[in-house]
Each structure stands twice: as structure tokens, then as C-alpha cells.
Amino acid sequence: MRPLDETETSVVFEKLFKFVGNNLKNLVENPSHEGPDSTPGRYCFRLNKNKIYYCSESLVKRATNIARPNLVSLGTCIGKYTHGGNFHLTVQALNLLAANAKHKVWLKPQSEMSFLYGNHVLESASGRITENIVAGDGVVVFNMADVPLGFGVAAKSTQDCRKLDPNGIVVLHQGDIGEYLRMEDEL
């Protein structure tokens, strides 16, 4: 477990910024009330075995007592680096993204299962969509009861979605909570 270097930090922050925008500072400056200290600490990002973890500094200090080969997880795993060096967000980051999301899409109840099986969001499935979405922006997908279901990338802008045919793709799927069942061995 080690802190991120300069290039790793910029790659992680660019990916997070795509989804949360200027709310990224809320993630970084979020006070942590964990541990024995009376003053609140901060949250930080750590790298362990190609996975990026979001955890409090007090937890990091306590984890130094554990040998690196024995340390399995620390805090919330928000993403991982692939063998090719690319960074991918994982479904465990959904709570952080949903709390600070800049762009949101709400699904109709009959379309939730389709998204949870890993399919893209079609125009006929979207119930509501936030304004000012540009193609390529990060989007968090909710059901109509505001429960976060997953995240993806906007395939069309908000204006284009209004003119789109019902079978047109609105959001390209990247991760959803159905992965907890489909890929439980890998998480």
C-alpha cells in the first residue's frame, strides 16, 4: 500500500472529474471522523495491488501494522489499473459518485432489470435526464426512487436525447450494482 504518484493521481482525478465535476473537492476535502483523534482527519487515495482505495488517514495509519502481502483491502476500492495501464472505475465507487454526481439519468421501473444485466440505457428506458449533458460526460444512473443503480458515459447530449428514436442509446453502460452477483469472484 502506497500513496499515488503524480501521474496516477492525475489519471484518477480526471476519471472522477468526468463524473462529479467540481464536486471532486468534496471527495478530497471530506472530513473523516474515524479513529481515536478528536479532530477530524481527511480521506486519501492509496494504491495496493493495482487497485485504488479511498480511505481515511487514520485507517491508513492503523493498516501500517499489517504486512503488505497480507493486506487484502483498505477502505473503499474505487477502481483498478489494467495491465495496459488504463484506469477503470469499479462499481464500489458508485456511492461516492452518486453523492457527488453532476449528471444523472433516471430509469423507468420496467427498464431497471435490463440495465442491471449490463445493457446500455435506451431512450425509451430513460424517465428523466439532467440538463446540459454533453456526449462523453460521465453519468450516474438512478431508478425513480433515487436509488443509484450504476454509471456510464453519455452517448448523446440532452438536446439530442429529446429528438432520439426510442431504440437509440442514451447512456453507454460502464458499471452497475448487478455486478455484485455477476462477477462476485472478481470483486
Side-chain angles (χ1 to χ4, degrees):
M1 174 185 62
R2 65 170 176 80
L4 303 179
D5 65 20
E6 192 77 28
T7 57
E8 292 167 342
T9 303
S10 65
V11 169
V12 170
F13 281 2
E14 284 172 11
K15 183 69 84 163
L16 288 173
F17 185 80
K18 188 175 185 178
F19 287 90
V20 299
N22 292 332
N23 294 335
L24 181 61
K25 74 175 183 180
N26 294 345
L27 288 176
V28 177
E29 297 174 358
N30 189 14
S32 166
H33 298 286
E34 291 180 356
D37 298 335
S38 60
T39 59
R42 301 194 100 129
Y43 282 93
C44 58
F45 296 92
R46 292 290 185 255
L47 177 73
N48 187 34
K49 300 178 184 172
N50 289 337
K51 293 187 178 182
I52 304 296
Y53 293 94
Y54 179 72
C55 54
S56 67
E57 289 175 344
S58 66
L59 183 61
V60 170
K61 287 177 188 172
R62 286 182 269 155
T64 56
N65 296 332
I66 301 170
R68 282 190 184 185
N70 297 340
L71 187 63
V72 177
S73 179
L74 179 74
T76 304
C77 177
I78 62 162
K80 61 182 180 177
Y81 277 98
T82 62
H83 294 293
N86 297 325
F87 177 72
H88 292 287
L89 287 171
T90 58
V91 69
Q92 292 98 327
L94 183 60
N95 288 338
L96 292 173
L97 297 178
N100 298 293
K102 183 169 69 167
H103 301 299
K104 303 176 183 179
V105 171
W106 289 266
L107 293 182
K108 294 177 181 174
Q110 63 269 22
S111 307
E112 291 176 20
M113 288 306 292
S114 175
F115 180 72
L116 293 178
Y117 281 121
N119 297 319
H120 301 308
V121 176
L122 302 178
E123 202 285 325
S124 61
S126 63
R128 291 185 298 182
I129 187 169
T130 55
E131 295 294 324
N132 301 326
I133 294 178
V134 180
D137 281 348
V139 176
V140 178
V141 179
F142 292 86
N143 67 5
M144 286 301 205
D146 280 337
V147 176
L149 299 176
F151 55 92
V153 176
K156 305 280 184 188
S157 67
T158 304
Q159 300 304 324
D160 293 341
C161 290
R162 301 195 196 297
K163 304 176 221 166
L164 201 59
D165 66 293
N167 290 329
I169 296 174
V170 176
V171 177
L172 300 171
H173 176 276
Q174 282 193 338
D176 65 82
I177 57 176
E179 289 179 18
Y180 285 118
L181 298 174
R182 293 193 313 267
M183 301 166 53
E184 64 183 310
D185 294 336
E186 297 173 21
L187 299 175

